[in-house]
Amino acid sequence: PGWTEAWQEPEGPGPLVLASLSTTTQGQDPMIRRILRALGELPVRGLVTAGPSFSATDLNVPANVTVVPSAPHSAVMPRADAVISHAGHGTVIKSLAFGVPLLCLPVGRDQPDTAARVVACGAGLRLRPGARSAAIASALDRILSEPDFPKAAGRIAEAIAADRQRDLAVEE
């Protein structure tokens, strides 16, 4: 979207994990704080996008995490190894289009159904939105260390790419 800003990939070793929650207010403040703690426990490079509805002041940001107001997903996803999301359709489809597995923490609306589909296709895991930071870290560690998650996300990316070649719905 037009409100995103340029971003710089966090330096250092470890996989890049994008944490991106809703652009609308859904009470994500406590969840972002738990995600920050979880990322700080893992050997990753965390990139957290605060979005327009969250004030990123007074955060305890671990040394391996960068918090930015926004970043264009089209630039971040090709470099990302995993995404932590509220399971909003936009973030999920962008992640899967690039073959990036997800950790979904659905809050409401269609998000629980979207998260269920991510899990059903093997492209990620789902936790409740109030999951503790230790559970988030554990689930994220699984996604980053077990090869089945990126393989499944890659299969979805291939299907999305094939669909871009021909619009089967229009042809039908």
Side-chain angles (χ1 to χ4, degrees):
W3 54 266
T4 60
E5 300 174 13
W7 75 291
Q8 188 168 15
E9 185 170 350
E11 294 183 14
L16 177 63
V17 177
L18 169 65
S20 180
L21 303 179
S22 183
T23 55
T24 60
T25 301
Q26 295 187 58
Q28 63 264 55
D29 301 24
M31 187 188 309
I32 288 178
R33 294 176 196 284
R34 290 190 305 275
I35 290 169
L36 286 169
R37 284 193 297 273
L39 291 170
E41 296 173 17
L42 297 171
V44 300
R45 295 173 297 136
L47 176 66
V48 176
T49 57
S53 64
F54 177 76
S55 173
T57 57
D58 300 325
L59 291 176
N60 184 10
V61 181
N64 63 326
V65 178
T66 302
V67 178
V68 296
S70 63
H73 285 173
S74 60
V76 178
M77 294 297 181
R79 293 172 161 67
D81 296 285
V83 170
I84 302 172
S85 170
H86 63 298
H89 182 264
T91 303
V92 169
I93 198 68
K94 289 174 202 167
S95 299
L96 293 176
F98 283 98
V100 182
L102 294 118
L103 173 56
C104 300
L105 295 106
V107 176
R109 303 180 205 163
D110 64 339
Q111 298 161 10
D113 290 337
T114 303
R117 284 163 175 76
V118 168
V119 172
C121 74
L125 296 171
R126 173 185 176 175
L127 295 174
R128 60 182 176 75
R132 295 177 186 252
S133 59
I136 295 169
S138 178
L140 183 57
D141 186 53
R142 279 192 62 202
I143 289 169
L144 292 169
S145 63
E146 295 179 18
D148 288 344
F149 294 111
K151 283 181 186 174
R155 286 192 300 272
I156 300 298
E158 290 171 7
I160 292 170
D163 192 48
R164 286 182 180 159
Q165 301 301 316
R166 292 177 49 209
D167 192 332
L168 298 177
V170 171
E171 289 177 20
E172 287 293 321

